Amino acid sequence: MLIVSWFICGFLYALFYCYVFNKLTNQKSFHLNSKISILLVIFGLLYIVTMKYSPLILRPYLIHLLYYSLLKINYRKSFFQTLIGLFCCILIVLTSELLYGIFTVILLKINISNFNNIPYGYFISNILILFISLIIFSIKKIKNLLFYILNWYNKNEFKSLIIFVMLVLSIAIFILYNNFINVLPPSVLVFTNIFCIGVFVFVVGFFKEKSNNNKILIEYDQLLNYIKVYEDEIEEKSKNQHEYNNQLIVIKSLIGSRNKKAKEYIDKQLKNEIESEDRSWIGKLKYVPQGGLKGLIYYKIQEMLKNNVIVFVDISP
């Protein structure tokens, strides 16, 4: 009976990981198609093998390596995105296990080791943990926070991410093992479980701060690139306008005195160009170095002119 419970729990945990990862990466409805179903069945069988034959100390790491492989094969995301998505799933499930441990071991005085060995005990425990995990993930603020981290965390910091994953997993395994063997006093178990949850909160806050900084850097680079393009457009427009005026002057000289109306029209166009807007400051901007600053100054001056602000520019060569 325990083998069947292992298979069902492995299947359901893998399904939960796929569901969370799908929501965090695609924000679309989750569909259980034939491909995912086959992968989940294979995972359930491998879960049995891992639970039965792997050493206890290595078992959590091997199981989460299977989770990573499942997500990587099914969703074909990058190494970094798959890893950080797995990390988000781990935080949810481990937090649920800690809350379950506080409730069963500390409050109800249940020995999890003995409970898991009775028929359906292992199955009931993990169903409750998955139920708590679903409740946690259904909280909109938590889901949005994990989505924010997954999409904005710096992809160049995958080494620190791996270290955090291993650290959090190791701390949780140690505390959950103490919950399992139930040898520590209840007060100590309460403290260690709450402490571990606090560590998870700190880690999530750390990742959010890192993600926020990375988002600011990306938006700054995008703005700088836009300003540079804007700057190039200004330069090109200024050159085209200057060339246009020169062509009008050449045409005027070629006409001579034969067509007074044409000359008057050209003079009118040149005069309108001069009087329409005082652009004497544009020539002074040529002393500003390229790289985005010139485009930013031009944009600010244009905004001031729209608001009828008198602009005076004095830039030394």
Side-chain angles (χ1 to χ4, degrees), residues 188-296:
V188 176
L189 285 175
V190 170
F191 174 78
T192 54
N193 280 265
I194 293 176
F195 172 77
C196 192
I197 293 174
V199 171
F200 290 170
V201 172
F202 168 77
V203 170
V204 170
F206 172 81
F207 275 85
K208 182 181 183 298
E209 188 65 26
K210 284 280 189 178
S211 301
N212 191 47
N213 293 338
N214 188 53
K215 181 183 178 183
I216 292 173
L217 288 175
I218 292 173
E219 291 177 343
Y220 171 79
D221 291 338
Q222 291 174 344
L223 178 60
L224 185 61
N225 290 332
Y226 172 78
I227 290 176
K228 287 181 179 178
V229 172
Y230 187 61
E231 188 176 85
D232 294 337
E233 291 292 330
I234 295 167
E235 292 289 330
E236 188 65 25
K237 180 180 178 181
S238 180
K239 290 177 182 178
N240 291 338
Q241 190 64 43
H242 183 71
E243 182 64 24
Y244 171 74
N245 290 341
N246 288 340
Q247 292 295 329
L248 287 178
I249 294 172
V250 171
I251 293 171
K252 178 184 175 182
S253 63
L254 292 175
I255 292 174
S257 58
R258 290 175 294 176
N259 194 332
K260 292 184 178 180
K261 288 186 177 181
K263 292 181 67 175
E264 290 175 357
Y265 177 78
I266 292 173
D267 288 338
K268 184 178 180 181
Q269 292 299 316
L270 292 172
K271 184 179 180 182
N272 288 340
E273 179 65 25
I274 295 172
E275 293 180 351
S276 61
E277 185 178 334
D278 182 12
R279 293 180 175 268
S280 60
W281 51 269
I282 294 181
K284 297 180 181 180
L285 291 182
K286 66 182 180 181
Y287 301 118
V288 178
Q290 296 278 353
L293 180 59
K294 184 185 294 185
L296 182 61

Side-chain angles (χ1 to χ4, degrees), residues 53-71:
Y53 297 106
S54 64
L56 182 62
I57 192 171
L58 295 178
R59 189 177 299 166
Y61 301 102
L62 294 175
I63 289 175
H64 284 90
L65 182 61
L66 290 176
Y67 284 135
Y68 174 83
S69 301
L70 172 68
L71 297 176

